[in-house]
Every structure is written in C-alpha cells, then in structure tokens.
Amino acid sequence: MAGRPKIFEEKDVVEKAVGVFWSKGYEAASADELLAAMGIGKGSFYLAFKGGKKELYEKSLQFFSETYDRQLLRDLANSDDQIKFIKDFFMSLADAPEAKIMKGCYLGNALVQLSEIDHDTKAIAATLLAKTEAIFTAVIRKAQQEKKLKNSTRAEVLGKYLINLWNGVNVTRRSHPDYEVLKEMLEMSLEVLK
Amino acid sequence: MAGRPKIFEEKDVVEKAVGVFWSKGYEAASADELLAAMGIGKGSFYLAFKGGKKELYEKSLQFFSETYDRQLLRDLANSDDQIKFIKDFFMSLADAPEAKIMKGCYLGNALVQLSEIDHDTKAIAATLLAKTEAIFTAVIRKAQQEKKLKNSTRAEVLGKYLINLWNGVNVTRRSHPDYEVLKEMLEMSLEVLK
DNA sequence: TTTATTATGTACCAATCGGTACAATATTGT
DNA sequence: ACAATATTGTACCGATTGGTACATAATAAA
C-alpha cells in the first residue's frame, strides 16, 4: 500500500457525528459543524464518504444501533432477572439527566425528523429500531418459556408494547417536567410484565 | 379604515401552512413553499407576520391544537360512552391511511423536530399537548366518578398513560407495516380502561 | 531519488435560505 | 380629484447550505 496515511478511523468520526446529529437533528446539523466535531477537513470527508452527509447519517444510525444493542444484550446477559432488568431499564427513563431527556431516542428521532424525501434513510432507522424490538420480544419469549412471566400475551405483541412504550416516553418526557406522574405512569405501564 | 384591501384571512393561510409544516417539518419547509401553499407573496406575509417563519409556525401549532381539541371535545360530547369512544379513537390509529400514518402527530413532531435553539417554540408545543392530555384526564376522572371505570389509578396517571400511548403509536406506526401486531398491541394497551 | 498513490487542506461553487426595501396598487376620507 | 393609508408583488440582500476542484503533502514501491 502507498499514499499519504489517513489521520482518522471511520468508526471514530462516525461516533463523533452521532453526537452532532443527535442534538441538532439531521437537517440542522451543518456539514461544517459535523466536520469540526469529527476533526477532519472537507477533502478527507468527501473522499471517505462519497455519499456525503446522507451516507454519514446512515452510517451513524447503523453505528449507534449496533453499539446500543450490543450493550443492551451484554447487560441482559449479565442480569439474573431479565424481566426485572427491563423494568429497571424503563424506570430509569423517568429520572434521566435533563440533557439526555431532551435528546430522545436516536433512531426514533430519525423516524420523526426525516422528511418524505429520505424515506430510504427512514427505512433504515425503522429496521434498526425493529432489532431492538426483537431483543425485547426474545427476552419476553424466553421468560414465558421459563415460567418467569405469567402474562401469556404473544411475545411479539409484548415486544411491540415495550418498543412503543419506549417511543412514547422519549416523546412524552420532553414535555414539562411532570416526573412524579411520569414515574407512576411508567410503573403502571410495566404492570403487564408479571 | 383605508388602504388596499387584504386578500387573505390569517386563519386561512395559517391552516394552509399547517399542511406544509406537517409533511415537511419546520426546518425543511421553505418560506417559498409555504407562501406558495398559502397563496400570498412575501410582501403580504412579512407585513402580517412580523416574526416571520417562526411566528407562522407557532401560530400553526396554536391553530392546529385549538381545532383538534375542539373537534375532540365535540366528539366526546356527542358520545354516550366516552371511554369506548377513546378506545375506538386509539384503535383507529392502527388502520389509518398510509399518508396519515407517516405524518405522525403535529405537536409531537414539533417536540422531536425542533432543535435546542427553539426551546420556546418547543415549550408551546408541550403546553398544547398537555391540553389534550388534560382532556383525556378529565374524561377518565368523570368516568371514575360515575363508576363507569373500575380502574382506580389516579386520573392524571391514566391521562399521562394515554397521551404517552398516543405519542408512542405515532412514532411506532411509522415503522414497517406490522399492523396486525400493532392492533393487538393497542388492544392490550387499552385493557387498562376497564 | 524518482514515481505512483492516497489523503489532506483550501479556495471556490451554484443554489438556496429567510428576510428586506420599495415602488406600484387599491382602497377610504376629504 | 386628491390626499392619506394600507397591502401587494418583485427585485434584491447577505449568509449559509452541501458539495467540488485541485494543488499540496505524505507515504510505499521501484
């Protein structure tokens, strides 16, 4: 191999880009701002990402999803009561730090923020969110088989219920701080996991 | 009074603007596109809306909310079983036309689409969404008082539960068409209204 | 040391953004 | 008829958008 050496790893700069896209949204995140956060110039960027901003965004969705799901699966594997883990996981949404609250779900945001033109990018986000849903579904199915969950509703339905709860809370909690009611609402929502 | 006559009513053009903002999002809706839909020129627009695009958007949120809530209250008033009405209302989300599905909730979109800079506009959307939540809460409180609802969970919590279900479904149903599971999930979610 | 190759930084691009300036136009009051 | 007034349409604005062109720089192979 020859040529001038690269000064960055794709994974690293994509991760940096996630931060900008997450707090600004796809449209509002300017190329300059992204490049500043990524620490590279336009020359490098448009050589590495021929698809420009859109390719970067799609890769950032992919990267985020993989990282997030991997961590979730690891945490689940380390837990001796997976249903309780999921409950705690959702309850923690009620008292997350303000900054995190306002950012919502990275994939859910994509679904809501992207205009009709980018429906292929939207489809990517939908597929990735479905993966997380599938993780929930698998946990529930396993718990049902092991008789650790009495609720006999189809696992896919309960999985959908949980991802929907996730999507909802990530919008709802952006409203005025109603954290006491929000917490009670979450507890009530999780009553089905019994 | 003197002067050249106005060729539009504010309410009318604001309503037209809702359509553009709803399908494009706040940022992506260009001033030109909005004006084209509104059927007026820049001269008229910036005279009537000194705050420009932002004022128009905030007024569109206001207009939408008022129209929507008024209709909702009217439908509720005309219903002899308000709890059943709410159930049907939510169930109808599962098989709405594709175009409507992809647009989500106008107020929820604002909460998710607006960047940190427009947090005052976001606050408006949050307040308006809280009004709809209050309608749900009131219906539930009344039904509890009239013993038409056995569930004794605090009405505010159930109201939050419903608005959260609303927010969730408006994100979730944008994913791949999983309508069978979505419908079952909704039925399950509405089991608490008994 | 030269050559081929790849990456980098910068200057630059047309297009579009939201918004303004202002002359032309249409009305009411005198 | 003529002013006073309010609205309209249009030409134009600087700023910013995402993206490109290209000379320069840094490496490996010959």
Side-chain angles (χ1 to χ4, degrees):
Chain A
M1 51 176 163
R4 184 170 173 171
K6 242 185 186 150
I7 58 164
F8 68 95
E9 289 271 356
E10 181 171 301
K11 260 196 348 185
D12 293 336
V13 297
V14 167
E15 185 168 17
K16 302 271 178 58
V18 168
V20 180
F21 280 131
W22 205 343
S23 51
K24 294 268 179 168
Y26 175 67
E27 301 248 25
S30 74
D32 285 347
E33 199 172 1
L34 286 161
L35 291 174
M38 293 158 78
I40 62 176
K42 291 200 165 185
S44 308
F45 175 70
Y46 283 101
L47 181 69
F49 298 84
K50 297 269 162 50
K53 187 179 169 182
K54 187 171 176 178
E55 180 189 342
L56 177 65
Y57 185 60
E58 293 184 351
K59 283 191 169 153
S60 83
L61 290 171
Q62 208 85 42
F63 174 85
F64 174 84
S65 168
E66 278 164 19
T67 308
Y68 196 88
D69 284 355
R70 191 183 308 122
Q71 183 62 43
L72 180 58
L73 284 169
R74 183 158 37 210
D75 289 347
L76 279 165
N78 291 340
S79 166
D80 53 322
D81 185 345
Q82 300 199 329
I83 295 295
K84 174 158 191 317
F85 173 84
I86 285 187
K87 283 186 185 175
D88 292 344
F89 172 78
F90 274 94
M91 286 312 297
S92 73
L93 292 178
D95 37 39
E98 172 101 2
K100 193 161 193 176
I101 282 179
M102 296 313 285
K103 284 170 71 180
C105 164
Y106 194 58
L107 300 178
N109 290 356
L111 242 35
V112 177
Q113 289 169 351
L114 267 42
S115 71
E116 293 142 342
I117 311 162
D118 322 282
H119 69 89
D120 46 341
T121 308
K122 230 188 235 184
I124 292 175
T127 302
L128 296 174
L129 207 51
K131 281 193 184 177
T132 307
E133 180 182 339
I135 293 174
F136 289 146
T137 302
V139 168
I140 285 162
R141 179 170 291 121
K142 182 154 162 271
Q144 285 175 330
Q145 285 168 347
E146 293 174 350
K147 315 285 184 189
K148 288 175 179 169
L149 191 63
K150 289 178 190 166
N151 189 330
S152 62
T153 309
R154 281 172 52 210
E156 302 85 47
V157 177
L158 274 166
K160 182 75 77 185
Y161 177 87
L162 287 178
I163 201 73
N164 191 63
L165 180 60
W166 170 259
N167 288 332
V169 173
N170 273 302
V171 176
T172 304
R173 65 178 181 162
R174 284 165 126 126
S175 294
H176 299 122
D178 214 355
Y179 297 125
E180 227 22 74
V181 177
L182 188 68
K183 190 171 258 177
E184 284 188 57
M185 184 273 286
L186 270 171
E187 274 163 5
M188 182 190 136
S189 298
L190 295 168
E191 284 289 307
V192 296
L193 296 188
K194 281 196 170 167
Chain B
M1 51 176 164
R4 185 170 173 172
K6 242 186 187 148
I7 57 165
F8 66 95
E9 288 271 356
E10 180 171 302
K11 261 196 348 185
D12 293 336
V13 298
V14 167
E15 184 168 17
K16 302 271 179 59
V18 167
V20 180
F21 280 131
W22 204 346
S23 52
K24 292 268 181 168
Y26 175 68
E27 300 249 25
S30 75
D32 285 347
E33 199 173 1
L34 286 162
L35 292 174
M38 292 157 77
I40 62 176
K42 290 201 166 184
S44 310
F45 175 70
Y46 283 101
L47 182 69
F49 298 84
K50 296 270 163 47
K53 186 178 169 183
K54 188 171 175 177
E55 181 189 341
L56 177 66
Y57 185 60
E58 293 183 352
K59 283 191 170 155
S60 83
L61 291 171
Q62 208 85 42
F63 173 85
F64 174 84
S65 168
E66 278 164 20
T67 308
Y68 196 88
D69 284 355
R70 189 181 310 123
Q71 183 62 45
L72 180 58
L73 284 169
R74 183 158 35 210
D75 290 346
L76 279 166
N78 291 339
S79 166
D80 54 323
D81 185 345
Q82 299 200 331
I83 295 296
K84 175 159 191 315
F85 173 84
I86 287 187
K87 282 186 185 175
D88 292 344
F89 172 78
F90 274 94
M91 286 312 296
S92 74
L93 292 177
D95 39 39
E98 170 100 3
K100 193 162 193 174
I101 281 179
M102 296 313 284
K103 284 170 71 181
C105 165
Y106 193 58
L107 300 178
N109 289 357
L111 243 34
V112 177
Q113 288 169 353
L114 267 43
S115 70
E116 294 142 343
I117 309 162
D118 322 283
H119 70 89
D120 45 341
T121 308
K122 229 187 234 184
I124 292 175
T127 302
L128 296 174
L129 206 51
K131 281 192 184 179
T132 308
E133 179 183 341
I135 293 175
F136 288 147
T137 302
V139 167
I140 285 162
R141 178 170 291 122
K142 181 153 164 272
Q144 285 175 329
Q145 285 167 348
E146 294 174 351
K147 314 286 184 191
K148 287 176 179 167
L149 190 63
K150 290 179 190 166
N151 188 331
S152 62
T153 308
R154 282 200 303 145
E156 302 85 45
V157 177
L158 274 167
K160 182 76 78 185
Y161 178 88
L162 286 179
I163 201 73
N164 190 64
L165 180 60
W166 170 260
N167 287 333
V169 173
N170 272 300
V171 176
T172 305
R173 64 178 181 161
R174 283 165 126 126
S175 294
H176 299 123
D178 214 356
Y179 297 124
E180 226 23 73
V181 177
L182 188 68
K183 191 170 256 178
E184 283 189 56
M185 184 273 286
L186 270 171
E187 274 163 5
M188 183 190 133
S189 298
L190 295 168
E191 284 289 307
V192 296
L193 295 188
K194 282 195 171 168

